[in-house]
Each structure stands twice: as structure tokens, then as C-alpha cells.
């Protein structure tokens, strides 16, 4: 991973794998993007300190119905 660390951050396993309530929603949003190629989406890590682990992840997508969905997930 040398040289590409700028795009890598630690994410809670239950969030990333969809095991928690927040994780289920996170995965649903990812699946929506995968099933609708060209969907505008973003994932923004939000930090509370100087560590490499973001405290929160903000994930947003613009649905084909023009509905903007933005959720903030606890990553602590």
C-alpha cells in the first residue's frame, strides 16, 4: 500500500460488512450505486483527532428520482 495511503482508512467491521443497523443501511446505499451505474455518490471521512481513523463517515448519493440521500455513520 506504499504511496496510496491517502485513499485508505480504517472502517468499523460491523459497518463495512453490514452487520449493524447502520451497516445495513451503508450496504444498501452501496448496492444502490452498484445497481445504478452512473449514480453520483460520495463518501467523506470526518475526523475528530489526528489519527488515521475517521470518527464518522458521511455517505451520500443522488437517486434517479433526484432525491439526495445523505447519511452519517458512526465509525468510532
Amino acid at each position: 500500500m506504499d504511496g496510496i495511503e491517502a485513499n485508505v482508512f480504517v472502517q468499523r467491521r460491523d459497518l463495512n460488512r453490514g452487520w449493524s443497523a447502520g451497516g445495513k443501511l451503508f450496504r444498501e446505499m452501496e448496492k444502490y450505486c452498484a445497481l445504478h451505474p452512473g449514480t453520483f455518490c460520495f463518501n467523506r471521512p470526518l475526523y475528530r483527532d489526528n489519527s488515521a481513523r475517521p470518527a464518522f463517515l458521511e455517505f451520500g448519493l443522488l437517486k434517479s428520482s433526484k432525491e439526495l440521500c445523505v447519511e452519517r455513520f458512526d465509525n468510532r
Side-chain angles (χ1 to χ4, degrees):
M1 292 188 354
D2 285 338
I4 62 167
E5 288 84 4
N7 292 322
V8 176
F9 57 84
V10 178
Q11 187 174 355
R12 277 184 19 201
R13 184 177 295 166
D14 64 322
L15 181 61
N16 183 269
R17 296 188 182 176
W19 296 342
S20 64
K24 287 177 181 24
L25 178 56
F26 188 87
R27 296 291 293 157
E28 281 182 35
M29 293 174 77
E30 284 185 320
K31 287 177 188 174
Y32 181 92
C33 293
L35 291 171
H36 299 88
T39 298
F40 172 79
C41 64
F42 66 88
N43 193 343
R44 181 172 69 137
L46 301 167
Y47 297 87
R48 285 198 159 173
D49 55 29
N50 290 327
S51 73
R53 183 186 188 121
F56 299 94
L57 300 173
E58 192 172 75
F59 187 27
L61 61 94
L62 183 61
K63 291 187 172 184
S64 56
S65 64
K66 305 299 182 208
E67 177 187 1
L68 179 62
C69 300
V70 180
E71 296 290 337
R72 182 176 285 190
F73 298 95
D74 191 337
N75 194 49
R76 294 174 287 172

Coordinates of all heavy atoms in Angstrom, one line a residue:
M1 N 0.8 -1.2 0.0 CA 0.0 0.0 0.0 C 0.9 1.3 0.0 O 0.3 2.3 0.1 CB -0.9 0.0 1.2 CG -2.0 -1.1 1.1 SD -3.3 -1.1 2.3 CE -3.0 0.1 3.5
D2 N 2.1 1.1 -0.1 CA 3.0 2.3 -0.1 C 2.6 3.2 -1.2 O 2.5 2.8 -2.4 CB 4.5 1.9 -0.2 CG 5.1 1.3 1.0 OD1 4.5 1.6 2.1 OD2 6.1 0.6 1.0
G3 N 2.4 4.5 -0.9 CA 2.1 5.5 -1.9 C 0.6 5.7 -2.1 O 0.3 6.7 -2.8
I4 N -0.3 4.9 -1.7 CA -1.7 5.1 -1.9 C -2.5 5.2 -0.6 O -3.7 5.2 -0.6 CB -2.3 3.9 -2.7 CG1 -2.2 2.6 -2.0 CG2 -1.7 3.9 -4.1 CD1 -3.0 1.5 -2.6
E5 N -1.8 5.5 0.5 CA -2.5 5.5 1.8 C -3.5 6.7 1.9 O -4.4 6.6 2.7 CB -1.5 5.7 2.9 CG -0.7 4.5 3.2 CD 0.5 4.3 2.3 OE1 0.8 5.2 1.5 OE2 1.2 3.3 2.4
A6 N -3.4 7.6 1.0 CA -4.4 8.8 1.0 C -5.8 8.3 0.8 O -6.7 9.0 1.2 CB -4.0 9.8 0.0
N7 N -6.0 7.2 0.2 CA -7.4 6.7 -0.1 C -7.8 5.5 0.8 O -8.7 4.8 0.5 CB -7.5 6.3 -1.5 CG -7.4 7.5 -2.4 OD1 -8.0 8.6 -2.1 ND2 -6.8 7.4 -3.6
V8 N -7.0 5.3 1.9 CA -7.3 4.1 2.7 C -7.5 4.6 4.2 O -6.8 5.5 4.7 CB -6.0 3.2 2.7 CG1 -6.2 2.0 3.7 CG2 -5.8 2.6 1.3
F9 N -8.6 4.1 4.8 CA -8.8 4.5 6.2 C -9.5 3.3 6.9 O -10.1 2.4 6.2 CB -9.7 5.7 6.3 CG -11.0 5.7 5.6 CD1 -12.1 5.1 6.2 CD2 -11.2 6.2 4.3 CE1 -13.3 5.0 5.6 CE2 -12.4 6.1 3.7 CZ -13.5 5.5 4.3
V10 N -9.4 3.3 8.2 CA -10.0 2.2 9.0 C -11.5 2.4 9.1 O -11.9 3.5 9.4 CB -9.3 2.1 10.4 CG1 -9.9 1.1 11.2 CG2 -7.8 1.9 10.3
Q11 N -12.2 1.3 8.9 CA -13.6 1.4 9.0 C -14.1 0.2 9.9 O -13.6 -0.9 9.8 CB -14.3 1.2 7.6 CG -15.8 1.4 7.6 CD -16.4 1.4 6.2 OE1 -15.7 1.3 5.2 NE2 -17.7 1.5 6.1
R12 N -15.0 0.5 10.8 CA -15.6 -0.5 11.7 C -16.1 -1.7 10.9 O -16.7 -1.5 9.9 CB -16.7 0.0 12.5 CG -16.3 0.8 13.7 CD -17.5 1.3 14.6 NE -18.7 0.6 14.4 CZ -19.9 1.1 14.8 NH1 -20.0 2.2 15.3 NH2 -21.0 0.4 14.6
R13 N -15.7 -2.9 11.3 CA -16.1 -4.1 10.6 C -17.6 -4.3 10.5 O -18.1 -4.6 9.4 CB -15.4 -5.3 11.3 CG -15.7 -6.6 10.5 CD -15.0 -7.8 11.2 NE -13.6 -7.5 11.1 CZ -12.7 -8.2 11.8 NH1 -13.1 -9.1 12.7 NH2 -11.4 -8.0 11.7
D14 N -18.3 -4.0 11.6 CA -19.8 -4.2 11.5 C -20.4 -3.2 10.6 O -21.5 -3.5 10.0 CB -20.4 -4.1 12.9 CG -20.2 -2.8 13.6 OD1 -19.2 -2.1 13.4 OD2 -21.2 -2.3 14.2
L15 N -19.8 -2.0 10.4 CA -20.3 -1.1 9.4 C -20.0 -1.5 8.0 O -20.9 -1.5 7.1 CB -19.7 0.3 9.7 CG -20.2 1.5 8.9 CD1 -21.7 1.7 9.0 CD2 -19.4 2.8 9.3
N16 N -18.8 -1.8 7.8 CA -18.3 -2.2 6.4 C -19.0 -3.4 5.9 O -19.3 -3.5 4.7 CB -16.8 -2.4 6.4 CG -16.2 -2.7 5.1 OD1 -16.1 -3.8 4.7 ND2 -15.9 -1.6 4.4
R17 N -19.2 -4.4 6.8 CA -19.8 -5.7 6.3 C -21.3 -5.8 6.4 O -21.9 -6.8 6.1 CB -19.1 -6.8 7.1 CG -17.7 -6.9 6.8 CD -17.0 -8.1 7.4 NE -15.6 -8.0 7.1 CZ -14.7 -8.9 7.5 NH1 -15.1 -9.9 8.3 NH2 -13.5 -8.8 7.2
G18 N -21.9 -4.7 7.0 CA -23.4 -4.7 7.0 C -24.0 -5.5 8.2 O -25.1 -5.9 8.1
W19 N -23.2 -5.6 9.2 CA -23.7 -6.4 10.4 C -24.5 -5.6 11.4 O -25.4 -6.2 12.0 CB -22.5 -7.1 11.1 CG -21.7 -8.0 10.3 CD1 -22.1 -8.7 9.2 CD2 -20.4 -8.5 10.6 NE1 -21.1 -9.5 8.7 CE2 -20.0 -9.4 9.6 CE3 -19.5 -8.2 11.6 CZ2 -18.8 -10.1 9.6 CZ3 -18.2 -8.8 11.6 CH2 -17.9 -9.8 10.6
S20 N -24.3 -4.3 11.5 CA -25.0 -3.5 12.4 C -26.2 -2.8 11.7 O -26.3 -2.9 10.4 CB -24.1 -2.4 13.0 OG -23.6 -1.6 11.9
A21 N -27.1 -2.2 12.4 CA -28.2 -1.4 11.8 C -27.6 -0.4 10.8 O -28.1 -0.3 9.7 CB -29.0 -0.8 12.8
G22 N -26.6 0.4 11.3 CA -26.0 1.4 10.4 C -25.3 0.7 9.2 O -25.3 1.2 8.1
G23 N -24.7 -0.4 9.5 CA -24.0 -1.1 8.4 C -25.0 -1.6 7.3 O -24.6 -1.6 6.1
K24 N -26.1 -2.0 7.7 CA -27.1 -2.5 6.8 C -27.5 -1.3 5.8 O -27.6 -1.5 4.6 CB -28.4 -3.1 7.5 CG -28.1 -4.4 8.1 CD -29.4 -4.9 8.9 CE -29.2 -6.2 9.5 NZ -27.9 -6.7 9.9
L25 N -27.7 -0.2 6.4 CA -28.1 1.0 5.6 C -26.9 1.4 4.7 O -27.1 1.7 3.5 CB -28.5 2.2 6.5 CG -28.8 3.5 5.8 CD1 -29.9 3.3 4.7 CD2 -29.2 4.5 6.8
F26 N -25.7 1.4 5.2 CA -24.5 1.7 4.4 C -24.4 0.7 3.2 O -24.2 1.2 2.1 CB -23.3 1.5 5.3 CG -22.0 2.0 4.7 CD1 -21.6 3.3 4.8 CD2 -21.1 1.1 4.0 CE1 -20.4 3.7 4.2 CE2 -20.0 1.5 3.4 CZ -19.6 2.8 3.5
R27 N -24.6 -0.6 3.5 CA -24.5 -1.5 2.4 C -25.7 -1.3 1.4 O -25.5 -1.5 0.2 CB -24.5 -3.0 2.9 CG -23.4 -3.3 3.8 CD -22.1 -3.4 3.0 NE -22.2 -4.6 2.2 CZ -21.4 -4.8 1.1 NH1 -20.6 -3.9 0.7 NH2 -21.6 -5.8 0.3
E28 N -26.9 -1.0 1.8 CA -28.0 -0.7 0.9 C -27.6 0.5 0.0 O -27.9 0.4 -1.2 CB -29.2 -0.3 1.7 CG -30.0 -1.5 2.3 CD -31.2 -1.1 3.0 OE1 -31.9 -0.1 2.6 OE2 -31.6 -1.7 4.0
M29 N -27.0 1.5 0.5 CA -26.6 2.6 -0.3 C -25.5 2.2 -1.3 O -25.6 2.6 -2.5 CB -26.1 3.8 0.6 CG -27.3 4.4 1.5 SD -26.7 5.6 2.6 CE -26.5 7.0 1.5
E30 N -24.6 1.4 -0.9 CA -23.5 0.9 -1.8 C -24.2 0.1 -2.9 O -23.8 0.2 -4.1 CB -22.5 0.1 -1.0 CG -21.5 0.8 -0.2 CD -20.5 0.0 0.4 OE1 -20.8 -1.2 0.8 OE2 -19.3 0.4 0.4
K31 N -25.1 -0.8 -2.5 CA -25.8 -1.6 -3.5 C -26.6 -0.8 -4.5 O -26.6 -1.1 -5.7 CB -26.7 -2.7 -2.8 CG -25.9 -3.8 -2.1 CD -26.8 -4.7 -1.4 CE -26.1 -5.7 -0.5 NZ -26.9 -6.5 0.3
Y32 N -27.2 0.3 -4.0 CA -28.0 1.1 -5.0 C -27.0 1.7 -6.0 O -27.3 1.7 -7.2 CB -28.6 2.3 -4.2 CG -29.4 3.2 -5.1 CD1 -30.8 2.9 -5.4 CD2 -28.8 4.2 -5.8 CE1 -31.5 3.7 -6.2 CE2 -29.5 5.0 -6.7 CZ -30.9 4.8 -6.9 OH -31.6 5.5 -7.8
C33 N -25.9 2.1 -5.6 CA -24.9 2.7 -6.5 C -24.4 1.6 -7.5 O -24.2 1.9 -8.7 CB -23.7 3.3 -5.8 SG -24.1 4.8 -4.8
A34 N -24.2 0.4 -7.0 CA -23.7 -0.6 -7.9 C -24.8 -1.1 -8.9 O -24.5 -1.4 -10.1 CB -23.3 -1.9 -7.1
L35 N -26.0 -1.0 -8.5 CA -27.1 -1.4 -9.4 C -27.5 -0.3 -10.4 O -28.3 -0.6 -11.3 CB -28.4 -1.8 -8.6 CG -28.2 -3.1 -7.8 CD1 -29.4 -3.4 -6.9 CD2 -28.1 -4.3 -8.8
H36 N -27.1 0.9 -10.1 CA -27.4 2.1 -11.0 C -26.2 2.8 -11.4 O -25.8 3.8 -10.8 CB -28.4 3.0 -10.2 CG -29.7 2.4 -9.8 ND1 -29.8 1.8 -8.6 CD2 -30.8 2.4 -10.4 CE1 -31.1 1.3 -8.5 NE2 -31.7 1.7 -9.6
P37 N -25.5 2.2 -12.4 CA -24.2 2.8 -12.9 C -24.4 4.3 -13.2 O -25.4 4.6 -13.8 CB -23.9 2.0 -14.1 CG -24.6 0.6 -13.9 CD -25.8 1.0 -13.2
G38 N -23.4 5.1 -12.9 CA -23.5 6.5 -13.2 C -24.1 7.3 -12.1 O -24.2 8.5 -12.2
T39 N -24.5 6.6 -11.0 CA -25.1 7.4 -9.8 C -24.0 8.2 -9.2 O -22.9 7.8 -8.9 CB -25.6 6.4 -8.8 OG1 -26.7 5.6 -9.3 CG2 -26.1 7.1 -7.5
F40 N -24.4 9.5 -9.0 CA -23.5 10.4 -8.2 C -23.5 10.0 -6.8 O -24.5 9.9 -6.2 CB -23.9 11.9 -8.4 CG -23.1 12.8 -7.5 CD1 -21.8 13.2 -7.8 CD2 -23.6 13.2 -6.3 CE1 -21.1 14.0 -7.0 CE2 -22.9 14.0 -5.4 CZ -21.6 14.4 -5.8
C41 N -22.3 9.7 -6.2 CA -22.2 9.3 -4.8 C -20.9 9.8 -4.3 O -19.9 10.1 -5.0 CB -22.3 7.8 -4.6 SG -21.0 6.9 -5.4
F42 N -20.8 10.0 -2.9 CA -19.6 10.4 -2.3 C -19.5 9.7 -0.9 O -20.5 9.4 -0.3 CB -19.5 11.9 -2.2 CG -20.6 12.5 -1.2 CD1 -20.3 12.6 0.1 CD2 -21.8 12.9 -1.7 CE1 -21.3 13.2 1.0 CE2 -22.7 13.5 -0.9 CZ -22.5 13.6 0.5
N43 N -18.3 9.6 -0.4 CA -18.0 9.1 0.9 C -17.0 10.0 1.5 O -15.9 10.1 1.0 CB -17.5 7.7 0.8 CG -17.5 7.0 2.2 OD1 -17.6 7.6 3.2 ND2 -17.4 5.7 2.2
R44 N -17.4 10.7 2.6 CA -16.5 11.7 3.2 C -16.1 11.3 4.6 O -17.0 11.2 5.5 CB -17.2 13.0 3.2 CG -16.3 14.1 3.8 CD -17.0 15.5 3.6 NE -18.2 15.6 4.4 CZ -18.5 16.8 5.0 NH1 -17.7 17.8 5.0 NH2 -19.6 16.8 5.7
P45 N -14.9 10.9 4.9 CA -14.4 10.6 6.2 C -14.3 11.9 7.1 O -13.8 12.9 6.6 CB -13.1 10.0 6.1 CG -12.6 10.4 4.7 CD -13.8 10.7 3.9
L46 N -14.9 11.9 8.3 CA -14.8 13.0 9.2 C -14.0 12.7 10.4 O -14.3 11.7 11.1 CB -16.3 13.4 9.6 CG -17.2 13.8 8.4 CD1 -18.6 13.8 8.9 CD2 -16.8 15.1 7.8
Y47 N -13.0 13.5 10.7 CA -12.0 13.2 11.8 C -12.3 14.1 12.9 O -12.6 15.2 12.8 CB -10.6 13.3 11.2 CG -10.3 12.4 10.1 CD1 -10.5 12.7 8.8 CD2 -9.7 11.2 10.4 CE1 -10.2 11.8 7.8 CE2 -9.4 10.3 9.4 CZ -9.7 10.6 8.1 OH -9.4 9.7 7.1
R48 N -12.0 13.5 14.2 CA -12.1 14.3 15.4 C -10.7 14.5 16.0 O -10.6 15.3 16.9 CB -13.0 13.6 16.4 CG -14.4 13.7 16.1 CD -15.2 13.4 17.3 NE -16.5 13.9 17.2 CZ -17.5 13.7 18.0 NH1 -17.3 13.0 19.1 NH2 -18.7 14.3 17.8
D49 N -9.7 13.8 15.5 CA -8.4 14.0 16.0 C -7.4 13.8 14.9 O -7.8 13.7 13.7 CB -8.1 13.0 17.2 CG -8.4 11.5 16.8 OD1 -8.3 11.2 15.6 OD2 -8.8 10.8 17.7
N50 N -6.1 13.6 15.2 CA -5.1 13.4 14.2 C -4.8 12.0 13.8 O -3.8 11.7 13.2 CB -3.8 14.1 14.7 CG -3.9 15.6 14.7 OD1 -4.6 16.2 13.8 ND2 -3.2 16.3 15.6
S51 N -5.7 11.1 14.3 CA -5.4 9.6 14.0 C -5.8 9.4 12.5 O -6.4 10.2 11.8 CB -6.3 8.8 14.9 OG -7.7 8.9 14.6
A52 N -5.5 8.2 12.0 CA -5.9 7.8 10.7 C -7.3 7.2 10.6 O -7.7 6.8 9.5 CB -4.9 6.7 10.2
R53 N -8.0 7.2 11.7 CA -9.3 6.6 11.8 C -10.4 7.7 11.9 O -10.4 8.4 12.9 CB -9.5 5.6 12.9 CG -10.8 5.0 13.0 CD -11.0 4.1 14.3 NE -12.2 3.4 14.2 CZ -12.2 2.1 14.2 NH1 -11.1 1.4 14.4 NH2 -13.4 1.4 14.1
P54 N -11.2 7.8 10.9 CA -12.3 8.8 10.9 C -13.3 8.4 12.0 O -13.6 7.3 12.2 CB -12.9 8.8 9.5 CG -12.5 7.5 8.9 CD -11.3 7.1 9.6
A55 N -13.8 9.4 12.7 CA -14.9 9.2 13.7 C -16.2 8.9 13.1 O -17.0 8.1 13.6 CB -15.0 10.4 14.6
F56 N -16.5 9.5 11.9 CA -17.7 9.4 11.2 C -17.4 9.2 9.7 O -16.4 9.7 9.2 CB -18.7 10.6 11.4 CG -19.0 10.7 12.9 CD1 -18.3 11.6 13.7 CD2 -20.1 10.0 13.4 CE1 -18.6 11.8 15.0 CE2 -20.4 10.2 14.8 CZ -19.7 11.1 15.6
L57 N -18.4 8.6 9.0 CA -18.3 8.5 7.6 C -19.6 9.1 7.1 O -20.7 8.7 7.5 CB -18.2 7.1 7.1 CG -17.0 6.4 7.5 CD1 -17.0 4.9 7.1 CD2 -15.7 7.0 7.0
E58 N -19.5 10.1 6.2 CA -20.7 10.7 5.6 C -20.8 10.1 4.2 O -19.9 10.2 3.4 CB -20.6 12.2 5.5 CG -21.9 12.9 5.2 CD -21.8 14.4 5.4 OE1 -21.1 15.0 4.5 OE2 -22.3 14.9 6.3
F59 N -21.9 9.5 3.9 CA -22.1 8.8 2.6 C -23.4 9.4 1.9 O -24.4 9.5 2.6 CB -22.3 7.3 2.8 CG -22.3 6.5 1.5 CD1 -21.7 6.9 0.3 CD2 -22.9 5.3 1.5 CE1 -21.7 6.1 -0.8 CE2 -22.9 4.5 0.3 CZ -22.3 4.9 -0.8
G60 N -23.2 9.8 0.7 CA -24.4 10.4 0.0 C -24.5 9.9 -1.4 O -23.5 9.5 -2.0
L61 N -25.7 9.9 -1.9 CA -26.0 9.5 -3.3 C -27.2 10.3 -3.8 O -28.1 10.7 -3.0 CB -26.2 8.0 -3.4 CG -27.3 7.4 -2.7 CD1 -28.5 7.2 -3.6 CD2 -26.9 6.0 -2.2
L62 N -27.2 10.5 -5.1 CA -28.3 11.2 -5.8 C -29.1 10.1 -6.5 O -28.5 9.6 -7.5 CB -27.8 12.3 -6.7 CG -28.8 13.1 -7.4 CD1 -29.7 13.8 -6.4 CD2 -28.2 14.1 -8.3
K63 N -30.3 9.8 -6.1 CA -31.1 8.8 -6.7 C -31.6 9.2 -8.1 O -31.7 10.4 -8.3 CB -32.2 8.3 -5.9 CG -31.8 7.6 -4.6 CD -33.0 7.1 -3.9 CE -32.6 6.2 -2.8 NZ -33.7 5.6 -2.1
S64 N -32.0 8.3 -8.9 CA -32.5 8.7 -10.3 C -33.8 9.5 -10.2 O -34.1 10.3 -11.1 CB -32.8 7.4 -11.1 OG -33.7 6.5 -10.4
S65 N -34.5 9.5 -9.0 CA -35.7 10.3 -8.8 C -35.3 11.7 -8.4 O -36.2 12.5 -8.1 CB -36.5 9.6 -7.7 OG -35.8 9.7 -6.4
K66 N -34.0 12.0 -8.4 CA -33.4 13.3 -8.0 C -33.5 13.5 -6.5 O -33.3 14.7 -6.0 CB -34.1 14.5 -8.7 CG -34.1 14.4 -10.2 CD -32.7 14.4 -10.8 CE -32.8 14.3 -12.3 NZ -31.6 13.6 -12.9
E67 N -33.7 12.5 -5.7 CA -33.7 12.6 -4.3 C -32.2 12.4 -3.8 O -31.5 11.5 -4.1 CB -34.5 11.4 -3.7 CG -34.5 11.4 -2.1 CD -35.2 10.2 -1.6 OE1 -35.7 9.3 -2.4 OE2 -35.2 10.1 -0.4
L68 N -31.8 13.4 -3.0 CA -30.4 13.3 -2.4 C -30.5 12.6 -1.1 O -31.2 13.1 -0.2 CB -29.8 14.7 -2.3 CG -28.5 14.8 -1.7 CD1 -27.4 14.1 -2.5 CD2 -28.1 16.3 -1.4
C69 N -29.8 11.6 -0.9 CA -29.8 10.8 0.3 C -28.4 11.0 0.9 O -27.4 10.6 0.3 CB -30.1 9.4 0.1 SG -31.7 9.0 -0.6
V70 N -28.3 11.5 2.2 CA -27.0 11.7 2.8 C -27.2 11.1 4.3 O -28.1 11.4 5.0 CB -26.6 13.1 2.9 CG1 -25.3 13.3 3.6 CG2 -26.5 13.7 1.5
E71 N -26.3 10.2 4.6 CA -26.3 9.6 6.0 C -24.9 9.8 6.6 O -23.9 9.7 5.9 CB -26.7 8.1 5.9 CG -28.1 7.8 5.4 CD -29.2 8.2 6.3 OE1 -28.9 8.3 7.5 OE2 -30.3 8.4 5.9
R72 N -24.9 9.9 7.9 CA -23.7 10.0 8.7 C -23.6 8.7 9.5 O -24.5 8.4 10.3 CB -23.6 11.2 9.6 CG -22.3 11.3 10.3 CD -22.2 12.6 11.1 NE -22.0 13.7 10.2 CZ -21.6 14.9 10.6 NH1 -21.6 15.2 11.9 NH2 -21.4 15.8 9.7
F73 N -22.5 8.0 9.4 CA -22.3 6.7 10.1 C -21.2 6.8 11.2 O -20.1 7.4 10.9 CB -22.0 5.6 9.1 CG -23.0 5.4 8.1 CD1 -23.0 6.0 6.9 CD2 -24.1 4.5 8.4 CE1 -24.0 5.8 5.9 CE2 -25.1 4.3 7.4 CZ -25.0 5.0 6.2
D74 N -21.5 6.3 12.4 CA -20.5 6.4 13.5 C -19.4 5.3 13.2 O -19.8 4.1 12.9 CB -21.2 6.0 14.8 CG -20.4 6.3 16.0 OD1 -19.1 6.3 15.9 OD2 -21.0 6.5 17.1
N75 N -18.2 5.7 13.2 CA -17.1 4.8 12.9 C -16.2 4.7 14.1 O -15.0 4.3 14.0 CB -16.3 5.3 11.6 CG -15.4 4.3 11.1 OD1 -15.7 3.2 10.9 ND2 -14.1 4.7 10.9
R76 N -16.6 5.1 15.3 CA -15.8 5.1 16.5 C -15.8 3.7 17.1 O -16.6 2.9 16.9 CB -16.3 6.1 17.5 CG -16.1 7.5 17.0 CD -16.7 8.5 17.9 NE -18.1 8.4 17.8 CZ -19.0 9.0 18.5 NH1 -18.6 9.8 19.5 NH2 -20.3 8.9 18.4

